[in-house]
């Protein structure tokens, strides 16, 4: 099994449970591969996680979610 | 035998001679003078009548000219009144249009200003809300909530990626 290095950005250090959850979801995309998580802390993302896997960016941060909601509100009221 | 009174005969002869002389040297020139005078008077009368006729024609002509000038004057006055009324109407219309234009321009500016203010207000409200939300999130995010967020958000994102990949394979 090949191990893929994945950058994982979170506002708080990852717990073991969180690491397992991340690996579980990533394995749905590539079941035959294992994952080595390269952790990075960035409190500005507020919550959630940003995953950078090769060319793929999976942005599940609360900062981005909040930004989307903000854009939606501004768009709807204008 | 009839006795002839020669003195009477001479008197008759003298009278006849006198009459002939009178006819020759007095009556003819007088008649001629009278005829000349009559002709001169007739000519003067004719000239006077001609002048009178010319004067009458001139008077009629002048009256017609006066009538034409009067009509022309009235026509010009009427046209001037019409032109003045039209000019007045044009000036009023132009002033009204200008006023409407200025009014619309100000309304447009006011509307833009209001929209700008509302837009700024909305942006400020959104910014304030965002700051408040960030503060709340910073204080409320616990490792348990973070675990739930990762599971939920990452699960949804992966599901979307899977759906996109399936679509790509189908194509």
């Amino acid at each position: 099994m090949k191990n893929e290095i994945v950058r994982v950005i979170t506002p708080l250090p990852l717990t073991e449970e969180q690491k397992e959850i991340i690996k579980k979801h990533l394995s749905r995309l590539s079941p035959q591969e294992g994952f080595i998580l390269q952790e990075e802390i960035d409190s500005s993302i507020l919550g959630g996680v940003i995953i950078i896997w090769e060319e793929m960016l999976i942005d599940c941060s609360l900062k981005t979610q909040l930004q989307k909601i903000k854009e939606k509100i501004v768009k709807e009221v204008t | 035998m009839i006795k002839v009174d020669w003195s009477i005969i001479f008197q008759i002869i003298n009278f006849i001679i006198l009459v002939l002389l009178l006819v020759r040297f007095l009556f003819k020139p007088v008649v001629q003078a009278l005829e000349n005078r009559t002709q001169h008077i007739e000519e003067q009368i004719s000239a006077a009548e001609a002048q009178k006729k010319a004067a009458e024609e001139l008077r009629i002509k002048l009256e017609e000219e006066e009538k034409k000038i009067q009509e022309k004057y009235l026509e010009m006055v009427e046209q001037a009144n019409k032109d003045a009324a039209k000019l007045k109407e044009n000036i009023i219309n132009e002033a009204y249009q200008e006023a409407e234009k200025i009014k619309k321009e100000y309304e447009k500016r006011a509307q833009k200003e209001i929209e700008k203010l509302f837009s700024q207000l909305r942006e400020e409200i959104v910014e304030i809300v965002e700051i408040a939300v960030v503060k709340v999130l910073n204080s409320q995010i616990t490792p348990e909530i973070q675990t739930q967020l990762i599971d939920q958000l990452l699960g949804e994102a992966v599901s979307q990626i899977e759906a996109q990949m399936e679509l790509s394979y189908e194509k």
Side-chain angles (χ1 to χ4, degrees), chain A residues 10-12 14 17-18 21-22 24-25 28-29 46-48 51 56 58 60 62 66-67 70 74 77-78, chain B residues 122 126-127 130 133-134 137-138 141-144 146-147 149-151 153-155 157-159 161-162 165:
Chain A
T10 53
L12 300 169
L14 286 170
E17 186 187 6
Q18 289 168 357
I21 289 168
I22 291 167
K24 179 189 79 180
H25 286 304
R28 286 164 56 195
L29 297 173
L46 302 173
I51 289 169
M56 190 187 293
I58 306 171
C60 302
L62 280 186
L66 194 62
Q67 188 61 34
K70 183 183 165 185
V74 170
V77 295
T78 50
Chain B
R122 278 192 294 266
V126 170
E127 291 292 329
E130 188 185 14
V133 169
V134 168
L137 288 174
N138 276 331
I141 294 290
T142 60
E144 290 75 27
Q146 172 66 355
T147 304
L149 284 170
I150 289 171
D151 193 20
L153 295 175
L154 188 57
V158 169
S159 296
I161 293 166
E162 283 177 328
M165 286 167 75

